Amino acid sequence: LFIWDENKEVDQDQDQEGEVEAVQEWLPVWGPEEVLKSANVRSIERSGANNLLIALDADGRGRLWKSEDLGASFRETYSTADDKVFVNAISVSVTNPNVVLAGLSDGLLIRSTDSGETWTSGAKFSSPFLDLEFSRTDVNIVYGVLEQKGAIRSRDGGVTFEEISRI
C-alpha cells in the first residue's frame, strides 16, 4: 500500500498493517526537486507482480510513470500533449494486468496493452474523466465516471462506451 501524504512524501505500508515507512529513496529517481515540490500525485496502481503506475501532475501537464521493481526506480512512459491536461484516472485490468486504461482531464481515454509501457489514444469525450474501473471478472467490461455526464460502461474493453446514468 502506497500513501502520498500531506507533506508530498510517498510512504509505503508493505504489510498493510498500519506501520508506514517513508520511501525517501524514490525522490532522487523522480527528477529535480523543483518538479517534485510542484507534483501532484493523482493515482497509484499496481500492474502485475512488480509493476507500479503513478499518475501525477508536474510542470503543468499530466504524466504517467512506471516502476518495474515495486518503486525502487521509476521512468516516465507518458506525458500529455498539452499543458493543463492531466491524467485523472488509471485502471489496470484484474484479469489481464497488461491492459491499462487512463482517463484524461480533456476527456481523452488512452490505452496500454503492455502494462503501461506504451500508450495509444482511444475514445474522446466532451467531459473530463473522474474515475475508471475494470470489472473484477471480465477484461471487456469497464466502468467510468465523466464530469457532468455521469456513469458510462464499455462492453468491449474500453473501445466504445454507453451512458448508464447521469449525475
Side-chain angles (χ1 to χ4, degrees):
L1 174 67
F2 294 89
I3 303 162
W4 187 259
D5 69 22
E6 69 275 359
N7 298 318
K8 295 192 175 201
E9 295 176 352
V10 176
D11 299 324
Q12 182 178 20
D13 180 4
Q14 288 184 337
D15 56 12
Q16 296 186 12
E17 293 180 2
E19 295 180 24
V20 178
E21 301 173 22
V23 186
Q24 297 297 330
E25 64 270 13
W26 287 9
L27 297 179
V29 177
W30 284 10
E33 191 170 321
E34 313 82 62
V35 172
L36 292 176
K37 286 181 180 176
S38 63
N40 176 36
V41 173
R42 292 184 180 254
S43 183
I44 301 175
E45 292 287 329
R46 191 166 183 168
S47 171
N50 295 313
N51 295 335
L52 292 175
L53 293 169
I54 297 183
L56 59 87
D57 309 340
D59 294 334
R61 66 179 56 198
R63 300 171 187 279
L64 288 166
W65 288 5
K66 180 178 180 179
S67 171
E68 295 174 323
D69 51 18
L70 283 177
S73 62
F74 282 88
R75 61 190 164 74
E76 186 175 291
T77 61
Y78 181 83
S79 176
T80 58
D82 298 319
D83 287 343
K84 298 183 181 175
V85 174
F86 305 106
V87 181
N88 284 351
I90 307 172
S91 186
V92 177
S93 169
V94 174
T95 58
N96 182 355
N98 288 325
V99 179
V100 184
L101 296 177
L104 308 185
S105 63
D106 66 354
L108 180 64
L109 181 75
I110 58 174
R111 178 183 184 89
S112 174
T113 57
D114 54 13
S115 297
E117 192 66 36
T118 60
W119 297 89
T120 57
S121 296
K124 175 77 167 152
F125 298 90
S126 60
S127 294
F129 273 90
L130 299 177
D131 199 8
L132 272 173
E133 192 69 39
F134 274 95
S135 164
R136 298 263 179 231
T137 58
D138 187 343
V139 70
N140 291 312
I141 306 295
V142 181
Y143 297 96
V145 178
L146 298 172
E147 186 176 290
Q148 301 174 356
K149 296 285 184 185
I152 56 175
R153 174 179 51 213
S154 173
R155 297 173 193 259
D156 57 12
V159 177
T160 61
F161 285 85
E162 60 186 338
E163 233 178 73
I164 56 175
S165 78
R166 291 183 84 56
I167 294 177

